[in-house]
């Protein structure tokens, strides 16, 4: 699976962005998808994840109620809708794909993922 993120950019605090994760290659619908973010000097941190069928979603505590992860398997695309952005959301955002051993699980560890994109930058100005 090849993944490519898009939709990043510069936005004012309180604004919104929708990131997309487009996939090509093997059956996208078989993979759980997660979004991670990384700031300089830090490791990639889990933001949100979604199971292969979209049936379950998971969020890091600081984004609950503001971010929504979704997917459209027919379009081989996953999304991260980000609302009420703050300067602390500034980071490079990555999507990653994994074939989990248990279909209802989404790992929060980036090293567990088989595939990842190159990232898209999100800058939130205060």
């Amino acid at each position: 699976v090849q993944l490519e993120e898009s939709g990043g950019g510069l936005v004012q605090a309180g604004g919104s962005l929708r990131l997309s994760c487009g996939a090509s290659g093997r059956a996208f619908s078989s993979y759980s998808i997660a979004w991670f973010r990384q700031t300089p000097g830090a490791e990639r941190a889990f933001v949100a994840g979604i199971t292969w069928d979209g049936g379950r979603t998971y969020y890091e505590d600081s984004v609950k109620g503001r971010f929504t992860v979704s997917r459209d398997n027919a379009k081989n695309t996953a999304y991260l809708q980000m609302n009420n952005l703050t300067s602390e959301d500034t980071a490079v955002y990555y999507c990653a794909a994994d074939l989990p051993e248990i279909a209802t699980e989404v790992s929060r560890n980036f090293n567990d993922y088989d595939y990842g994109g190159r990232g898209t930058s999100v800058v939130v100005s205060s």
Side-chain angles (χ1 to χ4, degrees):
V1 174
Q2 290 81 43
L3 303 174
E4 183 174 6
E5 304 89 345
S6 61
L10 175 64
V11 62
Q12 289 187 336
S16 299
L17 283 174
R18 188 177 80 156
L19 305 183
S20 297
C21 173
S24 60
R26 297 184 179 179
F28 174 77
S29 60
S30 300
Y31 290 81
S32 63
I33 298 293
W35 289 92
F36 294 82
R37 62 187 179 187
Q38 187 173 28
T39 55
E43 294 186 354
R44 293 185 189 185
F46 177 82
V47 176
I50 187 167
T51 52
W52 66 276
D53 61 349
R56 295 192 181 192
T57 56
Y58 302 86
Y59 298 94
E60 190 268 328
D61 285 347
S62 70
V63 307
K64 285 180 180 178
R66 300 189 299 123
F67 290 12
T68 302
V69 60
S70 62
R71 66 190 298 161
D72 185 341
N73 286 341
K75 295 182 178 180
N76 280 4
T77 304
Y79 305 96
L80 184 66
Q81 177 67 44
M82 306 186 296
N83 298 328
N84 194 20
L85 287 160
T86 75
S87 59
E88 293 188 353
D89 297 315
T90 294
V92 178
Y93 285 72
Y94 300 87
C95 64
D98 178 44
L99 282 173
E101 293 185 0
I102 301 175
T104 55
E105 291 188 348
V106 174
S107 174
R108 294 175 180 243
N109 185 346
F110 184 78
N111 292 328
D112 290 339
Y113 284 77
D114 302 313
Y115 305 98
R118 294 185 177 184
T120 185
S121 178
V122 172
V123 177
V124 183
S125 62
S126 57

